[in-house]
Amino acid sequence: MECVFGLVGEGFAVVVADTSAVHSILVHKSNEDKIMVLDSHKLIAASGEPGDRVQFTEYIQKNVALYQFRNGIPLTTAAAANFTRGELATALRKNPYSVNILLAGYDKETGPSLYYIDYIATLHKVDKGAFGYGSYFSLSTMDRHYHSRMSVEEAIDLVDKCIIEIRSRLVVAPPNFVIKIVDKDGAREYAWRETVKDADVASA
Amino acid sequence: MARYDRAITVFSPDGHLFQVEYALEAVRKGNAAVGVRGTDTIVLGVEKKSTAKLQDSRSVRKIVNLDDHIALACAGLKADARVLVNRARIECQSHRLTVEDPVTVEYITRYIAGLQQKYTQSGGVRPFGLSTLIIGFDPYSGAPSLYQTDPSGTFSAWKANATGRNSNSIREFLEKNYKETSGQETVKLAIRALLEVVESGGKNIEVAVMTREHGLRQLEEAEIDAIVAEIDAEKAATEAAKKAPPKDT
């Protein structure tokens, strides 16, 4: 029931992911951050097999860093997306990664962009995208309300509409979400949307 | 699988590894490089032989960074350096991936030195013809470090050191003049040491400064010229002071 979705606005891209780590009927934790900061101006929101998700995204992150040290300049978002897709494709017919990715980035020359990369190495550059059962609701809501060059306020409003839709219509809806944004000033956490807070451990 | 089985680096009757010694000779012919460790700043300086007029000098970077907090300068065969630096950069990221921690300066020095040693004891290969100066800050304690490796694969930590052309003169100067410094004083000491053997001027030396907060920063030619001018002025002042006192008698 992992929900990941994102959209591109005026000079920024925003991605949202649920934060529950689930194993069959048990919720391990409800504050698992599934959106990794790939480098200063890129975000990877990933959903799928928990082990694969972390291993694969960390592998991509370190290779993106290596490219930067070797060449003195960072990868563009498109290059990073194509590299990621290539790694998924290479592994596909041997030991595939079960990870779905939304890669959001900001490049000085081309502005914000969002890439849809699914577990069988499909790559699409999109304005809005979503994965998981939540996508039935978030994609429909975004299709209804999205327009190009939305402001941050409008975009977050749309994100909240999607979260409300998921919470009310998905049978096992995740309680908490994290929202991250990337723009010319870099990639950073924007907000959390929580309905369940992990209780603080009582001090001895 | 076909593999080279004949070793090229073998012992001589009197216990020398000539290939390693010849590699050290290649280092001695390379550009002078100096490293100075301060309390909060570490400086690397490298001699820049006059750049050809048509060459784009920005594409010839002699001081490179291996990670956000580690940098390297070397003397010797620059092509060998490219290979070694590439392997070190991969190891820095690989270490971060497997143990979720940045490398310590000692770890990556040990790795590079280990690589250099491997090539003195493998079939079909020759040793790397370079000595490296590796600087960095420990990711947790924040302590500054300076290490040196050589073609034999030995490494050790230093407060200040030099390698390459005329390294003995530079080291002598450093031994006479080293003291615990910080900030700009460390930069001045490194440049003064390098100027012992290099023609004065910003276009003949490349200097990079590493601090805990800002990582590695390459100094612009203008900045270096300004510091060189400061050093020259100080030298002139001490010369003048030496000549003045006899008048008191």
Side-chain angles (χ1 to χ4, degrees):
Chain A
M1 308 300 151
E2 292 194 323
C3 304
V4 173
F5 62 96
L7 58 119
V8 176
E10 176 67 64
F12 70 93
V14 63
V15 281
V16 186
D18 77 284
T19 60
S20 42
V22 169
H23 185 89
S24 127
I25 58 164
L26 173 70
V27 178
H28 279 300
K29 58 195 291 213
S30 37
N31 59 354
E32 168 84 356
D33 188 351
K34 297 177 191 169
I35 307 182
M36 166 178 284
V37 174
L38 198 61
D39 74 13
S40 64
H41 288 73
K42 292 181 195 45
L43 290 169
I44 272 199
S47 71
E49 203 70 56
D52 281 354
R53 173 168 57 77
V54 174
Q55 293 291 83
F56 183 72
T57 53
E58 284 189 353
Y59 171 74
I60 297 296
Q61 187 192 52
K62 301 307 184 257
N63 272 285
V64 167
L66 183 61
Y67 179 95
Q68 189 159 344
F69 281 111
R70 273 189 176 143
N71 299 285
I73 51 166
L75 275 168
T76 58
T77 313
N82 277 282
F83 171 67
T84 308
R85 187 247 151 211
E87 291 298 307
L88 284 167
T90 308
L92 182 62
R93 293 182 198 270
K94 290 209 177 94
N95 54 339
Y97 295 102
S98 304
V99 195
N100 297 309
I101 285 169
L102 279 177
L103 202 161
Y106 184 91
D107 303 303
K108 228 174 8 155
E109 300 81 15
T110 50
S113 50
L114 183 67
Y115 288 87
Y116 172 105
I117 308 170
D118 77 6
Y119 73 105
I120 39 175
T122 308
L123 173 67
H124 289 306
K125 183 173 185 300
V126 293
D127 288 329
K128 48 184 153 42
F131 283 109
Y133 285 118
S135 69
Y136 290 118
F137 310 108
S138 50
L139 225 34
S140 311
T141 312
M142 286 195 287
D143 282 343
R144 169 68 184 84
H145 295 288
Y146 178 89
H147 58 88
S148 59
R149 309 181 60 179
M150 293 172 85
S151 69
V152 178
E153 291 73 29
E154 289 178 303
I156 297 299
D157 199 61
L158 177 49
V159 161
D160 281 325
K161 281 196 174 68
C162 294
I163 292 177
I164 289 170
E165 205 59 33
I166 292 171
R167 277 196 181 135
S168 56
R169 290 296 184 187
L170 189 54
V171 61
V172 197
N176 302 335
F177 290 82
V178 63
I179 306 173
K180 293 199 183 179
I181 193 170
V182 59
D183 61 17
K184 66 174 180 8
D185 300 321
R188 59 193 179 281
E189 197 177 279
Y190 182 87
W192 283 70
R193 299 283 187 252
E194 292 172 306
T195 53
V196 166
K197 256 193 145 66
D198 274 337
D200 288 329
V201 177
S203 48
Chain B
M1 216 190 80
R3 248 190 305 173
Y4 289 105
D5 60 355
R6 191 178 75 80
I8 295 174
T9 311
V10 288
F11 279 113
S12 70
D14 54 349
H16 291 246
L17 286 173
F18 279 126
Q19 280 302 300
V20 174
E21 299 193 2
Y22 298 158
L24 280 157
E25 197 47 46
V27 171
R28 252 171 254 133
K29 292 206 162 62
N31 292 330
V34 70
V36 178
R37 186 188 82 191
T39 51
D40 61 356
T41 307
I42 330 174
V43 184
L44 281 174
V46 181
E47 170 191 9
K48 234 189 340 188
K49 286 234 185 69
S50 52
T51 36
K53 283 215 183 90
L54 295 172
Q55 190 183 61
D56 185 350
S57 55
R58 291 168 304 167
S59 67
V60 195
R61 276 262 158 267
K62 299 224 172 117
I63 304 172
V64 294
N65 52 1
L66 302 181
D67 203 342
D68 295 321
H69 60 302
I70 313 251
L72 176 150
C74 59
L77 268 45
K78 292 295 183 273
D80 285 4
R82 226 176 33 237
V83 173
L84 217 51
V85 164
N86 192 37
R87 298 285 293 273
R89 282 174 169 157
I90 293 173
E91 180 60 22
C92 284
Q93 294 306 313
S94 181
H95 186 275
R96 278 180 186 260
L97 186 59
T98 45
V99 303
E100 272 199 29
D101 254 351
V103 296
T104 57
V105 192
E106 204 230 349
Y107 176 94
I108 198 64
T109 306
R110 193 184 293 273
Y111 176 82
I112 291 173
L115 208 50
Q116 287 180 290
Q117 191 280 341
K118 207 179 296 206
Y119 279 66
T120 68
Q121 211 179 8
S122 301
V125 297
R126 60 159 176 82
F128 287 100
L130 68 143
S131 290
T132 69
L133 287 171
I134 301 166
I135 62 168
F137 288 90
D138 186 289
Y140 289 103
S141 70
S145 307
L146 165 67
Y147 282 85
Q148 188 208 31
T149 73
D150 65 26
S152 66
T154 48
F155 72 94
S156 49
W158 294 75
K159 292 183 189 155
N161 200 3
T163 178
R165 228 159 49 86
N166 303 113
S167 57
N168 287 325
S169 331
I170 306 180
R171 207 171 300 119
E172 243 179 76
F173 174 87
L174 285 168
E175 279 174 13
K176 257 192 250 155
N177 295 282
Y178 179 84
K179 55 186 199 319
E180 288 279 312
T181 51
S182 68
Q184 197 66 345
E185 282 308 305
T186 318
V187 183
K188 265 208 235 163
L189 181 56
I191 295 181
R192 270 168 61 211
L194 202 49
L195 288 178
E196 289 286 305
V197 301
V198 175
E199 229 181 271
S200 187
K203 58 177 169 57
N204 294 318
I205 50 179
E206 190 179 309
V207 181
V209 181
M210 176 166 275
T211 50
R212 228 167 272 128
E213 304 79 26
H214 301 121
L216 188 73
R217 194 172 71 86
Q218 308 268 2
L219 295 189
E220 307 261 328
E221 208 178 291
E223 280 182 88
I224 303 174
D225 278 329
I227 300 174
V228 169
E230 245 182 270
I231 292 170
D232 284 339
E234 279 171 13
K235 250 197 234 165
T238 40
E239 287 296 315
K242 271 201 216 131
K243 289 203 185 110
K247 285 191 190 148
D248 292 335
T249 50

